[in-house]
Amino acid sequence: MAATIRDVARRAGVGLGTVSRVLNNSPLVSPVTRERVLDAIAELRYSPSQIARSFSSGKTLTVSVIAPFFTRPSVVERLRGIESALHASGYSLVVFNVETAARRDACLHDVSRHDRSDGVLIISLTPREDEIMLLREAGTPVGLIDTEAEGMYGVRIDDVYGGELAVRHLLDLGHRRIGFVGDSEAEVQDFNFTSSRHRQIGYLKALDALAITPPPEYQRYGVHGRYEARLLARELLQLAEPPTAIFAASDTQAMGVLEAARDQQLRVPDDLSVVGFDDIDVAEYLGLTTVYQPLFASGKRGVEILLCLIAGDLPEPPSEVLPIKLVARGTTAPPA
Amino acid sequence: MAATIRDVARRAGVGLGTVSRVLNNSPLVSPVTRERVLDAIAELRYSPSQIARSFSSGKTLTVSVIAPFFTRPSVVERLRGIESALHASGYSLVVFNVETAARRDACLHDVSRHDRSDGVLIISLTPREDEIMLLREAGTPVGLIDTEAEGMYGVRIDDVYGGELAVRHLLDLGHRRIGFVGDSEAEVQDFNFTSSRHRQIGYLKALDALAITPPPEYQRYGVHGRYEARLLARELLQLAEPPTAIFAASDTQAMGVLEAARDQQLRVPDDLSVVGFDDIDVAEYLGLTTVYQPLFASGKRGVEILLCLIAGDLPEPPSEVLPIKLVARGTTAPPA
DNA sequence: CTGTTAGCGCATTCAC
DNA sequence: GTGAATGCGCTAACAG
């Protein structure tokens, strides 16, 4: 059916090694011969079989990415950065979406086999000890995005510092009763997500600097999402002494907080200040004060690190930290 | 390094054909032998090479999907449906993001090669005549999602009808001066997007049924996005006789329209009614009246159709039409 | 510079 | 039922 390299060789009257060299842009071919081969390729409308090629060379020119909840705006933006950088390098991108703990484990297992892709990118999930072992044994290069692990390479941000940024902003405005809405314990455990917890640590740290210890009921946890966050914020706002400001561990959750405020007829920022995290697209639309992090760039940088690893080099430092910053918009103001 | 089928055969004291049979669940193996082979596999921690397997069998167990602007919420939701269905079938998903006309063409060309994936899914892009030829020649099965083409299979909605639904809703409320905000001509041409145009046809059709002919200046086009839509809506609202309602070709664009209303101190829905299209996640949050379409299901169905094609069956009907419906929320009301 | 050869790991014939 | 032989299309190492 389709022409093979042998057909081309015959047609061009050369050996098939020569055709292979032309295909791989080897300089060891005379211009005349190259021309002849190129002609034959064109005439036969030949296109080399990618499968045979990767079988023979052992490289798949493919990178797998494990993306938990890839509908989340922050994840999508990272993926966009990944796809863009990867495509520019001639690699294909295989996507695994993870929405359950079971699939998290299965994917990490699947992907650690070095025969399906030349490398793996993991977003936001922190591999466990045994999984790191598995990955290492398989020899599959791994780039971590938005997380870190002992002896592994990747790119991330300082979530603790981000939490501090958010809460310091509220403190500077004069708030003292500040609530927190973050991911549920179960979720953190199931997926080994760490950002919500780290941001909370930053929250506590900023408060502690002013010798403030928030009561436990000021810190609420629920499954990541707008709806859950709305319920949590409602609880917060119905306390005898409700917070005057709420720091949400993500913009999505901040949206839920805004809904809760609306439910309670509270004006934002007059009656309640709200800070989110991520600076996703819709944050600007909502005028949400939030902590910006370079999502697209994190994907891009993750790819660069992975390609570096695939090439056999070791990036320095192993875990790169990207800069973040507070973006003050309309949902924060001094307390009434 | 890693164990091969030969190692397993030796270890189990059988021929390597037998091992292959065990791997492929052939019934032509005695239980005793199978057990022995299975043991050897376990002891050697053998796992068959996917590359070698696809090289030998000619199947890649991979499906490519071309997704234009895959950060758009509607596209992400379709992708989620695709990934979910595909994973359940043991296929890997390779994603191509298209954001320029050049890449649109390049991707369609790349993907038409039958040696990288067993099939192709195309979202929202309508292949041109020559591209259809290319795809057909290569013999690569193709599933179309959110679009249709002569002689090709896929799943879509009736966008014209959707436009009618939206505008009829406004007419029923008593509106007569209804504006339209949709994709730019350039964009439609570059990517061969059709939905915006079809929805506009529905808009015109609904108006025509009441013998209303909207003036050309009531219909505005710009690059798809919130910001552009906001500018377009501003122009609309600054007309001498501005519309009392605006139908946007997508929820994202409807968000821009809402911003424009806010800019002009117009209250929604009191001073201006707004209808979107797609019912993306954030529409509910905003209380946006819109036309719902089954995004997740479209991805899922697209996969089913493609797998059907890969298996050699021809789905009936070739172009399946999914149901849609109007979702009335808070951005529409009778005119003042 | 160029032609030839030896596998890559597996599925798939065949004989037995 | 089972083992041995062939070939998928290409790259890489070698000999010329």
Side-chain angles (χ1 to χ4, degrees), chain A residues 11-24:
Chain A
R11 174 90 166 193
V14 301
L16 89 199
T18 304
V19 179
S20 176
R21 272 180 286 255
V22 171
L23 289 175
N24 295 289

Side-chain angles (χ1 to χ4, degrees), chain B residues 183-204:
Chain B
D183 293 357
S184 70
E185 196 57 35
E187 211 171 6
V188 171
Q189 291 206 338
D190 282 0
F191 299 105
N192 225 348
F193 283 155
T194 54
S195 59
S196 174
R197 181 172 287 170
H198 285 160
R199 290 166 194 178
Q200 184 182 9
I201 293 174
Y203 155 88
L204 293 170

Side-chain angles (χ1 to χ4, degrees), chain A residues 15 17-18 21 29-30 33 55:
Chain A
T18 304
R21 272 180 286 255
V29 184
S30 80
T33 314
F55 176 56

Side-chain angles (χ1 to χ4, degrees), chain B residues 36-276:
Chain B
R36 202 137 43 91
V37 171
L38 255 20
D39 283 349
I41 289 179
E43 287 165 25
L44 265 37
R45 305 167 91 253
Y46 165 77
S47 125
S49 157
Q50 186 54 50
I51 312 181
R53 191 172 245 184
S54 45
F55 176 56
S56 182
S57 69
K59 319 211 110 272
T60 60
L61 284 187
T62 283
V63 165
S64 300
V65 58
I66 300 186
F69 301 100
F70 86 168
T71 44
R72 290 188 188 169
S74 59
V75 178
V76 172
E77 193 58 21
R78 291 192 211 275
L79 279 175
R80 199 167 74 92
I82 292 173
E83 203 273 348
S84 141
L86 224 37
H87 187 264
S89 315
Y91 280 83
S92 290
L93 173 64
V94 176
V95 175
F96 295 85
N97 179 30
V98 170
E99 301 194 352
T100 63
R103 253 211 97 185
R104 174 202 178 283
D105 297 348
C107 281
L108 265 164
H109 202 269
D110 274 17
V111 125
S112 71
R113 297 179 31 194
H114 198 345
D115 62 331
R116 282 187 146 280
S117 49
D118 296 342
V120 178
L121 287 170
I122 301 177
I123 301 179
S124 299
L125 297 171
T126 311
R128 288 187 309 255
E129 195 64 40
D130 56 319
E131 293 164 339
I132 295 181
M133 288 285 288
L134 211 64
L135 253 5
R136 189 153 302 159
E137 267 178 38
T140 313
V142 180
L144 261 27
I145 296 177
D146 187 40
T147 178
E148 62 174 333
E150 184 62 28
M152 303 197 74
Y153 298 83
V155 59
R156 61 189 176 94
I157 60 165
D158 186 341
D159 282 303
V160 174
Y161 175 64
E164 283 187 73
L165 276 183
V167 175
R168 258 194 241 147
H169 170 64
L170 293 171
L171 290 170
D172 288 349
L173 288 170
H175 291 276
R176 289 301 176 266
R177 301 205 309 271
I178 302 175
F180 172 81
V181 168
D183 293 357
S184 70
E185 196 57 35
E187 211 171 6
V188 171
Q189 291 206 338
D190 282 0
F191 299 105
N192 225 348
F193 283 155
T194 54
S195 59
S196 174
R197 181 172 287 170
H198 285 160
R199 290 166 194 178
Q200 184 182 9
I201 293 174
Y203 155 88
L204 293 170
K205 221 169 141 186
L207 290 177
D208 192 57
L210 264 67
I212 300 174
T213 306
E217 65 266 27
Y218 266 28
Q219 300 163 64
R220 305 258 166 180
Y221 319 96
V223 173
H224 186 101
R226 221 171 57 210
Y227 182 72
E228 274 289 336
R230 178 179 180 174
L231 300 183
L232 298 177
R234 174 176 306 167
E235 293 171 12
L236 238 30
L237 297 174
Q238 286 175 342
L239 288 174
E241 195 170 50
T244 62
I246 296 179
F247 168 44
S250 72
D251 286 348
T252 300
Q253 286 162 318
M255 286 173 71
V257 175
L258 292 178
E259 280 182 306
R262 200 161 56 191
D263 294 343
Q264 311 276 318
Q265 325 285 352
L266 260 49
R267 287 165 309 163
V268 172
D270 313 76
D271 303 324
L272 180 74
S273 283
V274 179
V275 182

Side-chain angles (χ1 to χ4, degrees), chain B residues 270-289:
Chain B
D270 313 76
D271 303 324
L272 180 74
S273 283
V274 179
V275 182
F277 204 114
D278 288 341
D279 197 24
I280 61 177
D281 201 48
V282 78
E284 187 216 342
Y285 177 79
L286 298 173
L288 178 67
T289 294

Side-chain angles (χ1 to χ4, degrees), chain A residues 131-184:
Chain A
E131 293 164 337
I132 295 181
M133 288 284 288
L134 211 65
L135 254 4
R136 191 154 300 159
E137 267 179 37
T140 314
V142 180
L144 260 27
I145 295 177
D146 187 39
T147 177
E148 62 175 333
E150 185 61 30
M152 304 198 74
Y153 298 83
V155 59
R156 60 187 178 95
I157 60 166
D158 186 340
D159 281 303
V160 175
Y161 175 63
E164 283 186 74
L165 276 183
V167 174
R168 261 194 239 145
H169 170 65
L170 293 172
L171 290 170
D172 289 348
L173 287 171
H175 292 276
R176 289 300 175 266
R177 301 206 308 270
I178 303 175
F180 173 81
V181 168
D183 293 357
S184 70

